[in-house]
Amino acid sequence: MAHERDGKVEVRMGQLATMDPGGRPGDGQRHGELPDAIKKAREIYERGRRPQVVRVRRSFVRLEKFGGTVEDERKPLPRSERPLSAQMITPKGLSLKLYLVMLFAAQCEAAVGKEWPQPYPIEPDARTTDSWEGLVATVAKYAGPGVQASAVRTNKLRQITQAMKTLEEMGLLKSATGVTGQVRRGVLLLCENGKSKDTGAASIPYTVPTDDEDFLEIPVGFFTNGWIHALTNSEIAALLMWFDVMKFDGMPFTPEGGTPMTFGFVLSDVRHGFYGLGRDAYETHKPLEAFEILDVHRPSKRYNSGKWRDFKEDSSDLVCHRVVFRDNAFDREAGAVVQEVLRRRDATNEWTRPISGIRQPGRW
C-alpha cells in the first residue's frame, strides 16, 4: 500500500540538491553552495589555530534557572523566555547557523580567552577573500523578472544581512560602526549569553571560552564537513542540547552484550524548562539517528510512538531513550549522507539508516 508522501521531506530534498548538486568528494570538481562553503571552512581551519572542537558557552543553549513546567507539549515556553539557541528555531531563518559559523571562524582566528578584533565582512572586498557569504550555504534561487527580482547572490546577501540584524536584536553582535542596523559595514561579535542586550552601550565582547567556564563542545567536523548547513534548525538545536547533556550529565552505560559507553537522556520538564525545546525538536532524534550521528537505545517496553506497553502510573520502568553519540559521526561530508537518508524517508515514510549503515541501535 502506497504511503502519503511528506511534503516537507520533498522540499528539503530539493533544497539540499540545489545546494549540493553532485560530484565526488575530493575530486576538485564539486561546485555549489554546500561544497563551496565546506571548501572555505576547511581553508580557514587549516591556516588558522585548528581547534579540535568549537566551544559554546552553556548559557547559549540552557537557561541558568528553570523556566517553568510546561503542561502541554503544544504550548512550550514563550519564545522570549527560551535559551537563545531555541529562540532561533524557525523554518527558514539563518540566524542560528550563521552565529555558530561565526563562533567557528572566531576560534580558528583567536586564542582561548581572547577577542576576535576583525571578523569577516559580509562579502569579499579588496582586503580579504574571507567572508560570511563564502562560509554560509543557502538556498537562494533566482526569482525571475520584475520589480522585486534579484540575482541569486543578492538574495543570499539579503538573507545574511537579515540574520545579522536578528542577531543584533538578540544582543549577539553589533555593527562595527556603532550604529544599529549598519551590519553590512561590518560587525563585532558579542558574548553568546546575550546579556549585551541588557547593558546598553556597554556591550560584552565575545571571547573564546576559557577552561574554567562552562561550555559544550561541537566537533570541528560539524563545520568542515557541512553538517551545519545540511541539518535543520530544529536538528541543530537538539544536537546542542545533546552535546550539553552528554558533557554535564552523561552517565556510563553498557548495552546487553556491548561495550561500555557514555549516554545521555533528558526528561520532558528539563527539555522544556531548561532547553526550551518542544516535542518537535525532541523528535529530531529519529533523523539524527538515521544520519548515524546518534545511537538511540529504547526501553523495551516503549513503542516507537512513545506509548508504553503495560503502562502503570507508578511504574519505575518509565525511563527515557538513552542517547549515545557515534564515534567520528561528523567526519563524513554531510551532503551525500543526508540526501540518501531523505530519499529513503521519502520512499518508505520511515527514518532508517542507509543499507551500509553499521548496526541498528537496540533496546534495553
Side-chain angles (χ1 to χ4, degrees):
M1 180 176 176
H3 69 271
E4 183 177 348
R5 300 185 73 182
D6 188 329
K8 292 182 179 179
V9 171
E10 288 187 82
V11 170
R12 186 175 179 184
M13 288 171 60
Q15 292 175 337
L16 191 52
T18 299
M19 286 199 300
D20 189 8
R24 297 188 306 276
D27 64 7
Q29 303 300 317
R30 302 175 69 221
H31 294 285
E33 287 283 320
L34 184 55
D36 288 350
I38 288 174
K39 181 179 178 182
K40 174 55 73 172
R42 291 175 178 175
E43 175 188 324
I44 289 170
Y45 176 81
E46 288 297 330
R47 72 158 189 263
R49 305 186 68 86
R50 299 188 183 185
Q52 294 305 300
V53 296
V54 172
R55 299 178 172 189
V56 180
R57 288 181 174 85
R58 196 180 193 193
S59 53
F60 180 69
V61 173
R62 191 181 193 275
L63 295 175
E64 295 178 4
K65 296 181 179 180
F66 186 64
T69 301
V70 173
E71 301 295 338
D72 188 338
E73 285 278 4
R74 295 169 295 183
K75 297 179 181 179
L77 289 177
R79 184 174 293 274
S80 62
E81 297 178 14
R82 303 174 198 171
L84 292 174
S85 60
Q87 290 183 33
M88 298 184 200
I89 300 177
T90 58
K92 297 181 180 180
L94 190 61
S95 302
L96 178 58
K97 296 182 179 185
L98 177 60
Y99 191 67
L100 291 175
V101 166
M102 287 178 163
L103 298 188
F104 160 75
Q107 292 181 39
C108 287
E109 298 276 353
V112 170
K114 302 297 183 181
E115 296 180 32
W116 186 23
Q118 291 185 312
Y120 305 139
I122 287 184
E123 53 189 316
D125 58 26
R127 296 168 298 171
T128 178
T129 59
D130 300 328
S131 68
W132 302 123
E133 178 191 3
L135 274 168
V136 173
T138 65
V139 180
K141 297 181 180 179
Y142 177 63
V147 176
Q148 296 182 351
S150 301
V152 171
R153 183 165 183 256
T154 302
N155 273 331
K156 181 176 182 179
L157 293 174
R158 182 182 297 117
Q159 290 182 46
I160 295 173
T161 301
Q162 183 55 55
M164 284 186 170
K165 289 181 177 179
T166 299
L167 294 171
E168 184 180 36
E169 292 170 359
M170 299 177 76
L172 294 173
L173 57 78
K174 68 176 182 179
S175 168
T177 66
V179 179
T180 300
Q182 290 188 351
V183 293
R184 293 204 65 153
R185 298 189 181 183
V187 296
L188 297 175
L189 272 63
L190 301 179
C191 183
E192 63 264 54
N193 60 19
K195 292 183 179 179
S196 294
K197 184 177 179 180
D198 305 320
T199 61
S203 55
I204 305 170
Y206 172 79
T207 57
V208 180
T210 57
D211 294 346
D212 59 351
E213 296 184 77
D214 286 340
F215 56 82
L216 55 116
E217 299 171 315
I218 304 177
V220 72
F222 182 73
F223 301 94
T224 57
N225 281 316
W227 291 96
I228 181 69
H229 311 297
L231 299 181
T232 67
N233 285 328
S234 290
E235 289 164 354
I236 293 170
L239 268 180
L240 293 175
M241 176 187 72
W242 289 122
F243 284 131
D244 184 79
V245 168
M246 293 292 285
K247 178 170 183 179
F248 293 98
D249 301 304
M251 301 179 67
F253 168 52
T254 303
E256 185 176 352
T259 56
M261 58 186 70
T262 301
F263 77 89
F265 70 90
V266 61
L267 301 174
S268 62
D269 60 340
V270 172
R271 169 167 49 84
H272 276 292
F274 279 109
Y275 296 99
L277 300 180
R279 185 76 187 181
D280 288 346
Y282 177 71
E283 288 296 320
T284 61
H285 71 267
K286 295 177 181 178
L288 294 175
E289 179 182 29
F291 300 148
E292 298 182 87
I293 295 174
L294 304 176
D295 280 340
V296 182
H297 298 265
R298 297 165 173 81
S300 59
K301 292 185 178 182
R302 188 170 188 171
Y303 297 108
N304 288 335
S305 65
K307 296 181 179 180
W308 290 85
R309 184 171 69 247
D310 302 326
F311 176 80
K312 294 180 181 179
E313 194 69 44
D314 60 349
S315 175
S316 60
D317 294 332
L318 305 187
V319 183
C320 297
H321 295 343
R322 296 183 178 186
V323 169
V324 178
F325 273 104
R326 291 180 64 85
D327 292 337
N328 307 316
F330 300 105
D331 290 353
R332 307 158 295 154
E333 284 199 14
V337 175
V338 174
Q339 286 191 66
E340 181 177 355
V341 170
L342 291 178
R343 284 193 291 267
R344 292 171 65 84
R345 174 69 168 82
D346 188 52
T348 66
N349 206 32
E350 299 288 340
W351 288 110
T352 57
R353 289 180 171 177
I355 298 298
S356 59
I358 305 174
R359 76 177 171 83
Q360 294 288 343
R363 291 184 175 273
W364 51 276

